Amino acid sequence: MKQLPTRTEAKAHAKYLSRSLNINLSYAQDVVALRYNCHDWSELSTVFGQFSDKYMSCYGLASPEEKRAFSQLLAPYTAELQNAAHPDRHVPESLMHKIAEGHIPRVSGKVMSAVIRECEDSPPTTVEDIIDLLEFYDETASRVLVGQHRQIASNNTWLEPWVFGLRFYAYYHFKGKMVTILSREWDLDIHDAYLPHVRDRVFSRPWFQAYMVGYLAYLVKQFIGLGYDGTIKICCVNNYSALDYHEKKAAPYSRVGIHHLYRALLDCGGEYKWSLSQNGHKHDFGIELPFAALTSLKKGGK
């Protein structure tokens, strides 16, 4: 059994979502409730702080034991880690910045447990070993930029930020300070998103489109903050492709909310685009947006 978030923890999570994704706080609370298999905030409020197995499908808060083990693991390298955040690749939201600024409680239990497990299997011997591990498990654009720093011109880094309940799989193509992001798979991964008998429940929530678009804006702002510009293309959302939407094919399990998301991407400046291979073959049809189209959005989800 594990402990559900306390009222303070759940409210802090909701405020972070509201601020980061630019959505209304009441809708952010609804998201947090779904993360713990509760239908809404009212249901979650009846079980704050309780120990349970029923609500654990997307659990990610660190336990006291994980926090203690993670802190002990980093303790020998405290001074070096405080100076390890690099202005060219570590965004303010990155794992390195959280650690450098002493905000270890803000690290998800998912990341803590992964780092602890890796160190148990292969104990680090230098601070560079620890930095490499922390950069690998980063959940922000910094995970991508570390590859760019190592002169990987194109990489397919995946981002799975627990705090947002998303999985974002993409290719990042760099040319100087321009980056082209091609996402072939982008999934909302909370509560009933993958239950085949549930008809559009998560996707029809009033915050769904603003939440998803808000994440794209959050991501590209991290790149912009380090001097990059570029485009982002979305090819598929929860197994329903932009091409299927363009061809007016039904979404699986009648998830019409994904229709509205694609429409929202087009309405905020997106365009249908094919990618072209070197020999001229078309591939990866999607909706492409310039970074600027996402950074100028007004608050959504009201």
Side-chain angles (χ1 to χ4, degrees), residues 213-280:
V213 175
Y215 176 72
L216 296 185
Y218 168 87
L219 180 62
V220 303
K221 285 177 182 177
Q222 292 178 355
F223 285 99
I224 291 171
L226 296 185
Y228 290 88
D229 197 2
T231 61
I232 186 165
K233 182 195 283 188
I234 303 301
C235 298
C236 190
V237 178
N238 281 84
N239 301 321
Y240 181 56
S241 71
L243 183 58
D244 285 344
Y245 172 72
H246 181 56
E247 294 178 346
K248 297 182 170 54
K249 295 181 181 179
Y253 311 113
S254 302
R255 289 170 176 168
V256 297
I258 303 179
H259 289 196
H260 301 319
L261 172 59
Y262 282 132
R263 183 70 257 168
L265 294 176
L266 292 167
D267 288 344
C268 67
E271 296 182 1
Y272 290 122
K273 289 281 185 71
W274 284 98
S275 297
L276 295 176
S277 64
Q278 291 183 346
N279 57 11

Side-chain angles (χ1 to χ4, degrees), residues 6 28 68 81 88 104 118 139 151 192 195 221 234 294:
T6 64
R68 183 164 51 252
L81 290 174
D88 289 340
I104 288 179
E118 289 269 6
E139 299 175 316
Q151 297 183 336
D192 54 14
L195 298 180
K221 285 177 182 177
I234 303 301
L294 292 162

Side-chain angles (χ1 to χ4, degrees), residues 18-269:
S18 176
R19 181 176 65 253
S20 299
L21 306 186
N22 203 26
I23 63 171
N24 183 270
L25 179 60
S26 64
Y27 290 146
Q29 291 175 335
D30 196 51
V31 176
V32 173
L34 289 176
R35 297 302 308 282
Y36 295 98
N37 260 350
C38 292
H39 180 73
D40 53 29
W41 185 259
S42 294
E43 180 182 345
L44 180 60
S45 67
T46 66
V47 292
F48 282 141
Q50 293 184 14
F51 285 87
S52 175
D53 288 327
K54 176 182 177 182
Y55 299 100
M56 292 298 109
S57 67
C58 291
Y59 196 78
L61 286 177
S63 67
E65 293 76 18
E66 286 171 329
K67 292 178 183 178
R68 183 164 51 252
F70 190 69
S71 296
Q72 290 174 350
L73 177 66
L74 301 183
Y77 311 99
T78 300
E80 294 95 328
L81 290 174
Q82 286 177 341
N83 297 315
H86 196 284
D88 289 340
R89 59 184 184 272
H90 293 127
V91 299
E93 301 87 350
S94 68
L95 186 55
M96 290 302 304
H97 266 290
K98 289 177 183 176
I99 292 168
E101 295 166 4
H103 295 155
I104 288 179
R106 297 183 184 177
V107 178
S108 75
K110 171 186 168 184
V111 169
M112 286 190 187
S113 62
V115 172
I116 292 167
R117 184 173 60 252
E118 289 269 6
C119 290
E120 288 174 345
D121 293 341
S122 180
T125 58
T126 67
V127 68
E128 286 76 17
D129 292 339
I130 289 290
I131 291 173
D132 286 346
L133 198 55
L134 295 174
E135 289 180 331
F136 179 79
Y137 283 106
D138 194 285
E139 299 175 316
T140 69
S142 288
R143 188 162 192 260
V144 180
L145 292 171
V146 166
Q148 168 64 1
H149 172 70
R150 294 171 180 167
Q151 297 183 336
I152 302 173
S154 176
N155 62 66
N156 61 337
T157 303
W158 68 92
L159 299 176
E160 298 183 350
W162 174 85
V163 70
F164 300 126
L166 292 167
R167 295 185 295 178
F168 188 80
Y169 304 138
Y171 285 83
Y172 300 81
H173 304 275
F174 289 91
K175 189 173 183 179
K177 282 291 188 175
M178 295 295 295
V179 56
T180 301
I181 304 174
L182 171 64
S183 175
R184 290 179 171 171
E185 185 178 348
W186 179 29
D187 301 332
L188 179 67
D189 191 20
I190 62 176
H191 196 45
D192 54 14
Y194 284 95
L195 298 180
H197 61 280
V198 177
R199 300 278 176 174
D200 203 40
R201 272 177 51 193
V202 170
F203 306 103
S204 61
R205 297 271 175 155
W207 46 261
F208 173 66
Q209 292 81 35
Y211 188 85
M212 298 291 276
V213 175
Y215 176 72
L216 296 185
Y218 168 87
L219 180 62
V220 303
K221 285 177 182 177
Q222 292 178 355
F223 285 99
I224 291 171
L226 296 185
Y228 290 88
D229 197 2
T231 61
I232 186 165
K233 182 195 283 188
I234 303 301
C235 298
C236 190
V237 178
N238 281 84
N239 301 321
Y240 181 56
S241 71
L243 183 58
D244 285 344
Y245 172 72
H246 181 56
E247 294 178 346
K248 297 182 170 54
K249 295 181 181 179
Y253 311 113
S254 302
R255 289 170 176 168
V256 297
I258 303 179
H259 289 196
H260 301 319
L261 172 59
Y262 282 132
R263 183 70 257 168
L265 294 176
L266 292 167
D267 288 344
C268 67

